[in-house]
Structure formats: C-alpha cells, structure tokens
C-alpha cells in the first residue's frame, strides 16, 4: 500500500520529465475536451471498472451492456480498431485510449502500460467530466494493433458512461466523477492458471515465459493497479476453490468468487442471503437440489474492507444445470431484477461467455443489474 | 447397541426368573386394565418422552402443558405423592408407576431402576392401549418418597396422553401406540456438569461420589435407555458449546443443542432454517442484532440418524435479551406457532425454568408446539 499515492499528490514528480509534460500539453491541445453539442440527456451516469489485463473486463462489459439492453457495437462508420462500445443506453470507453506514451514511447522510456506515467490523467479527467456534464468530446483512440494513437473519435454523452481500464480509479478527480466503481480482483493463482490456459494452450507460450511475464508485471501492478480496490464500491474477487481439498489440477477451473459490496453507497443496496446483516453459510445442494461433485457453497457476511464497512456474498463451485442457478437466484435478495429468473436468463443468454457457470458470471450479472438499478434510481430522482 | 434387544424378543429370558414372573401376573390381576367408563373423546393422542433421570423431562412437561393450555396439576383429591399431571387437554403419566420391583425389591435383586426387569411392560402396554382406545384405567402409583407402590389411581382418557419415563420407547408394543416419540439426549459431559451443579451445590455430595454414581448407572443406561433414541421421532441432544475454544469452566453452562427430527412422520413437519432441505450455518448476531460473548450460532442440515432420514436444527450459545429470541424465532420456519412471537412468549412466561435462555428451552418449546399441532391435525382429520 505504501507504494501507492493518489494521483493529485504524485502528479508533480510523475510528470516532471520534460518530454512527457510536453506530450501532455500537446495532447490537451490536439483533443479539445468540449464541443458545442448539447444532448437532451442532462447528466450522464458514470461507472468505473478497473482490473489488470486478462481479468475479464471485456466479458463483464458484454454482460453489462446486455443487461442494460440493446447490442453494443463500435461506433458506426468509425475507426475499425476503436476500443469503444456503444449501445442504446451505454457507452463503454477503454482507458487505454488515454495512453500518453504509445508502445514505442513506453519501450523507449522503459515504462509499462501499468505505469501512470504512460497515461494522460488530465485529459481523461477533463473528458469524463465533460461527458458527465452532457458535453461531447473528441476522445483519443489507442490502436492496440499498431500500438499507436489514431485520430480521435467523437463521444457524445450517453445515459451511462462506463470507463474501463487499468486505472479507472487511480486519479482522485476521476474517482469523484464515478457514480459507482467496480474492481475485478483476480488472485495470483487464478490469474496464472488463466494465463497458462490462454497463452500456453492458444498461443504456444512456455510455462516459464508466462511466469516471467507475470513476475515482470507484478511490481507495477502492486504499486498502481491493485491499490485501487480500496476505492471500489464493489469488488469481484476470484480465488481458487476451497471445495476440493489440497492443491490440485482444478486450480483455476473451479472458482471461489466473492462479491464485496461497500455499505452506504447511494443507490446501491448490497445483495444478501437470507438474513441481512448476519453471517450465513449455505450449501444449496441437498434434498431439493442435487449437485455433482464438488458441489456449491455460498457464504454471506459483513466486515471491513480497507476500513470501509462491506457486505460480502461468496460462491464456491459451479453450476452444472439450469435449475441450480434458478434455485440460487431465488434465495438471494436485493438482486435488482425486474422479473423472476432474470439473472438465470441473462446467464443462459450468454452461456458461451467465460464464467457463465460460476461466481464470476453470476456476480458480473448481478453487478450489471445493480448498475441498471442505480441508473434508474438516479433518473427517477431528477 | 448390541446390548439392546427389543422387549418382545427379550421378554422370555428377562422374565424367566420365577419370582419376577409371578409378581408380574399378580400385578396384572391387582390392577384391572379396563373399566366400563367410556368418555366422549373417541381416541387419545399418545406422546412418548424418554430420557435418563435428571435430563429435563419434568421441565419439558411443564413447557408442554403450558403450550397445550391450562395449568397442569396432580389429580384432585388423590394421592399427594401422585406422579401424574392433569390439565384441561393433557394428562402426563410417569412410567415409574409401572415399577414391578419397588426400591426394596430392586435392592434385593441387585437391579437398577434402569433395568427392564424392574418394570411391568405388559401392564404398561395394556393400560396405554386402553387409554388410547378411550377406556379409563386404574394405574399403579409408585411413591418416590417411600419407594413403594401406593394404591392405584384412576386415569380417564385425556385428549393427549403423555407417557414420560426411562422406558417410554423400550417396548415395541408401546412404541406402536405412540403418535409421536421424543428422546432427551444429554451428553455425558453435560450430564456430569448438571449433576455436579445439583448434587454438589445443593446436596453436598462429593465430586468423586457423583462420578461414581454416574459410572455405576452407565452400563444399564447404555444397554436399556440410550438405544431408545433410534425410535424417537424427535431427539433433543444437549452438548457442550463449541463457541468457547478448549475445555473450560463453561462446560455445562453454555450449551449446544440439536433438535433432530425424523422425516416422513405423519402430522410432524420438521422445523427448518431459511431453505428447507439444504445446509445452513447462521450467526444471527451482526449488524441488526448485537449479542454478548460468546454469541449465538445456528445450524440446519439433514442426514441419517440410525438409518432414518432426519433434519437437524442446532443452536449453540444463549439468549441474553428478548429481542435475540424474537429475532431467531422470526427466521425459523415450520414452528407451528399460532401467532407471531409465540415461542418467545412461551419462553418468557417460564423464564425461571432451566434452559429458558438456550437451545434446551427453545427446542422443548418448539416440540411442544409441534405436539399441539399434531394433535390438532389428528382431531381435524376425524
């Protein structure tokens, strides 16, 4: 935690290298933060989603836009390499677009994409604020294929703006703009297992090279990314299962997932199991519901998370059958569903998404429903 | 378990000593099992309660008759040393009244009161059957003060007959007459702690003599009393707490109590917590309910008990305040209460009874409510 300082206080030293500062200024000029366009929607609800790469941000975005309704696609007629997703209600922007150093620049300076020095937080803040206030912006586009910055794209204020990336909650000014913030926290064991699965099986990398690449990222991850979870209103924490005794082959396959929800957040009522504010352990598999090995276990409780009071719902294990999912949904409260079985319906609709049979999919879906609910509460209040 | 054989098969050898057999026959003649009196109530519901001495049978009876309504008193104008309790609805008879050997007889033969040879099961069966069929009986009276048999007393068929004693479920023929059977199962540690509390504090016995008396009873208890629990529809099992780590002074004070309920018993729907047929652990103390050390923990689950499928509700810890009790009552299901808070009301009404602040009182009260419910279901069906 000591390595982490809020952006505002760290800004001076971080931006002191002359070249970076010039780039920052030139960028601010190149991309005016405001236009004269005013949209009918008076104020945009802003959601921040932070996580390391390969931790399921994109899957979460697909679940979220599905819950919000309407298909999400890149801006029509725009850059085919745009990182933005636009749906009827929501626009998702990727914070990689605020890279102040492109791939070559990062390489030249020996700075990773995790390092705040590679990002233009001033521009990010100004543009997110502009959108929140109802003004369109010309947002930069980082091209993940070329590793360079492409011409900017126009972002008009949507009803819901989701900013997702490595640093969504890094800058205090940006944090203050967020109506809700979510951190996807994948434990080292699971991250390693996922990376092995993807990079070894699909890309032919060696186990050693995967381990080395994780190790190389770790100092910056620990210093700049992970500490953001203290600011999150909701954290989805992914851990190895505890249902299978001892370390085994199932690591990274069977998962224990926690949904940590901050108390007292406006328009965000934490989900609970059976009895709000108590501590519950629940194995739904039994007389009415049969489950295959290793079964499913839920836990619910409360506690402190970085000094904040939180409620925690945990799921260990995975769903084998639809009726298991519906059964579980029936017993969770404060889900913000609009009809009986909506969580199950959402998860079935995207059964091909990673995690649709376990707590990652369940809690991503639930957080999506909570975001829709939060948005509707804010709109209703206006 | 091997030492235990059903009465019917064991009868020949048990009653083979000539003296005992004669006593048995003479007793049968002395107390005719039937009279010509027919009561309006066509059929009596019969409940069996078995337990060792000093295990809370009498407290349970007081809770039960209170739930059934009306005060329970010894038969009016009868033997002041009668062991019977009569209320508007229920009559409770003590099976010590079926002693075939009085105190001197047992001493002469070297037989304890736990030994079936000291009991007249034939008479017990005939009289319980007679009452169940609506016929009054002249029941023997064992005088606990003199240790001898007093003249018999008339028992007219009540709506509910409770037979309580050491051997309520020992005889197969009597078991078949029971509409519901309950066993109070006090673990050795708790039994010892209770005995120390009573016999040492109140009667000045030494710790060694208490231990010796328990040890002396143990073989007969293990052979004849404890095996009855396999036949019980409900078992209240009392164990030392698990909330206080390590063996300590609190043994026998803070209790962990289980209510084990057989599945598939007619008119007896097991109590459950939150989700019927699943496994739940619940610590109600938390945000809404504050509890003092060591708190309260509930568990609910299912399993096998002597080859029968059972549901189990467990309470560890004790109630300090009324709101804790009401809170817990609110979250238990299938309690067979007639109004909100009836369990709490019953326990408060008898706050001076032993166990009114823990699981023994809670589950005794609940079993009382289940008996009332069973009775009402049987009556409704007629």
């Amino acid at each position: 935690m000591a390595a982490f300082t809020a952006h505002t206080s760290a800004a001076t030293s971080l931006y002191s290298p002359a070249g970076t500062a010039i780039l920052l200024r030139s960028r601010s000029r190149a991309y005016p933060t405001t236009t004269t366009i005013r949209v009918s929607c008076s104020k945009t609800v802003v959601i921040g989603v932070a996580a390391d790469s390969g931790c399921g941000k994109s899957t979460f975005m697909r679940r979220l836009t599905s819950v919000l309704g309407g298909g999400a696609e890149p801006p029509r007629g725009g850059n085919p390499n745009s990182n933005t997703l636009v749906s009827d209600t929501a626009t998702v922007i990727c914070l990689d677009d605020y890279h102040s150093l492109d791939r070559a620049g990062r390489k030249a300076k020996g700075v990773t994409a995790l390092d705040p020095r590679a990002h233009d937080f001033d521009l990010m803040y100004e543009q997110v604020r502009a959108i929140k206030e109802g003004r369109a912006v010309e947002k930069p586009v980082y091209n993940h294929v070329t590793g360079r910055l492409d011409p900017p794209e126009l972002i008009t204020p949507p009803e819901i703006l989701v900013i997702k990336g490595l640093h969504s909650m890094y800058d205090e000014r940006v944090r203050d703009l967020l109506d809700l913030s979510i951190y996807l926290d994948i434990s080292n064991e699971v991250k390693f297992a996922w990376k092995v699965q993807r990079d070894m099986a699909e890309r032919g990398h060696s186990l050693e090279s995967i381990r080395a690449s994780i190790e190389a990222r770790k100092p910056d991850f620990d210093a700049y990314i992970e500490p953001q979870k203290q600011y999150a209103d909701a954290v989805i924490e992914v851990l190895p299962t505890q249902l299978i005794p001892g370390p085994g082959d199932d690591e990274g396959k069977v998962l224990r997932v926690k949904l940590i929800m901050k108390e007292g957040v406006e328009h965000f009522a934490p989900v609970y199991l059976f009895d709000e504010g108590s501590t519950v352990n629940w194995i739904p598999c039994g007389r009415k519901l049969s489950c295959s090995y290793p079964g499913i276990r839920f836990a619910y409780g409360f506690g402190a998370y970085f000094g904040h009071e939180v409620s925690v719902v945990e799921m260990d294990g995975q769903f084998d059958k639809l009726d298991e999912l519906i059964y579980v949904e029936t017993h969770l409260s404060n889900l913000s569903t609009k009809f009986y079985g909506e969580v199950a319906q959402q998860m079935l609709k995207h059964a091909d998404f990673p995690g649709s049979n376990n707590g990652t999919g369940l809690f991503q879906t639930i957080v999506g429903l909570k975001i829709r609910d939060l948005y509707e509460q804010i709109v209703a209040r206006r």
Side-chain angles (χ1 to χ4, degrees), chain A:
Chain A
M1 292 302 303
F4 186 72
T5 47
H7 172 262
T8 39
S9 60
T12 320
S13 61
L14 284 173
Y15 286 91
S16 55
T20 316
I22 288 160
L23 179 66
L24 179 75
R25 271 184 238 116
S26 70
R27 286 277 303 285
S28 293
R29 256 177 279 134
Y31 306 106
T33 58
T34 64
T35 73
T36 51
I37 302 167
R38 285 255 170 202
V39 289
S40 58
C41 172
S42 65
K43 213 166 167 252
T44 294
V45 170
V46 185
I47 310 294
V49 178
D52 199 2
S53 317
C55 287
K57 287 194 296 289
S58 298
T59 302
F60 179 34
M61 287 307 102
R62 293 200 285 168
R63 291 194 197 278
L64 173 60
T65 50
S66 170
V67 165
L68 296 175
E73 292 181 1
R76 263 180 223 170
N79 187 334
N81 289 322
S82 168
N83 304 306
T84 302
L85 282 177
V86 179
S87 76
D88 291 350
T89 327
T91 295
V92 180
I93 62 172
C94 172
L95 299 181
D96 289 349
D97 288 336
Y98 293 102
H99 276 321
S100 57
L101 292 174
D102 60 12
R103 197 176 290 158
R106 295 197 298 272
K107 203 168 181 184
K109 292 202 177 289
V111 160
T112 73
L114 302 161
D115 193 313
R117 283 176 292 178
H119 295 272
D120 188 343
F121 286 100
D122 289 340
L123 184 63
M124 178 177 148
Y125 161 63
E126 283 166 26
Q127 294 203 335
V128 173
R129 190 184 66 174
I131 295 169
K132 191 171 174 111
E133 289 172 355
R135 287 170 286 143
V137 301
E138 291 279 345
K139 182 188 61 57
V141 176
Y142 178 77
N143 189 324
H144 282 93
V145 180
T146 63
R148 284 190 301 218
L149 290 161
D150 283 349
E153 63 186 4
L154 181 74
I155 304 292
T156 54
E159 294 177 65
I160 301 170
L161 174 72
V162 183
I163 60 169
K164 64 142 180 148
L166 292 161
H167 300 95
S168 316
M169 287 162 263
Y170 184 82
D171 186 295
E172 192 185 4
R173 299 167 301 173
V174 175
R175 284 202 302 273
D176 288 345
L177 296 173
L178 301 177
D179 292 290
L180 198 78
S181 55
I182 298 122
Y183 185 88
L184 306 183
D185 186 13
I186 316 301
S187 73
N188 289 333
E189 303 97 306
V190 175
K191 212 186 270 185
F192 181 69
W194 284 1
K195 236 181 150 50
V196 164
Q197 198 174 0
R198 191 187 67 182
D199 293 356
M200 206 160 97
E202 293 168 23
R203 301 183 190 175
H205 296 195
S206 75
L207 210 65
E208 289 67 39
S209 75
I210 294 165
R211 209 184 298 272
S213 97
I214 288 179
E215 284 304 311
R217 286 175 67 85
K218 204 163 183 309
D220 278 1
F221 174 77
D222 292 350
Y224 308 120
I225 312 304
E226 197 177 31
Q228 294 178 94
K229 64 191 188 189
Q230 69 187 296
Y231 304 118
D233 298 315
V235 174
I236 296 178
E237 191 177 313
V238 184
L239 303 152
T241 184
Q242 287 181 335
L243 296 175
I244 301 167
D249 298 336
D250 294 296
E251 233 167 63
K253 283 178 198 155
V254 182
L255 299 176
R256 177 164 72 103
V257 186
K258 290 183 180 186
L259 174 57
I260 302 164
M261 297 155 286
K262 203 178 271 183
E263 290 291 327
V265 176
E266 207 176 7
H267 311 304
F268 179 69
V271 174
Y272 68 89
L273 189 57
F274 300 130
D275 175 29
E276 196 172 7
S278 74
T279 304
V280 177
N281 263 279
W282 177 48
I283 299 170
C285 318
R287 281 207 193 104
K288 286 198 235 156
L289 182 73
S290 63
C291 310
S292 63
Y293 181 83
I296 298 172
R297 193 184 61 80
F298 272 80
Y300 165 65
F302 60 94
Y305 186 81
F306 291 99
H308 297 288
E309 204 183 340
V310 293
S311 285
V312 182
V313 175
E314 180 184 317
M315 173 184 172
D316 198 350
Q318 51 197 34
F319 302 112
D320 284 331
K321 297 181 298 253
L322 173 64
D323 56 351
E324 296 170 10
L325 177 51
I326 290 173
Y327 192 88
V328 163
E329 179 178 353
T330 307
H331 289 86
L332 289 165
S333 296
N334 267 357
L335 288 179
S336 300
T337 49
K338 294 203 170 181
F339 54 87
Y340 177 81
E342 189 176 11
V343 172
Q345 190 217 51
Q346 279 294 330
M347 285 178 73
L348 272 178
K349 197 171 165 184
H350 305 296
D352 56 322
F353 288 7
S356 287
N357 67 339
N358 64 35
T360 64
L362 176 67
F363 293 146
Q364 282 178 2
T365 303
I366 290 173
V367 170
L369 292 164
K370 301 305 293 184
I371 289 171
R372 182 183 68 187
D373 189 25
L374 172 131
Y375 164 71
E376 287 175 356
Q377 286 183 59
I378 291 174
V379 168
R381 214 195 210 185
R382 273 174 208 159

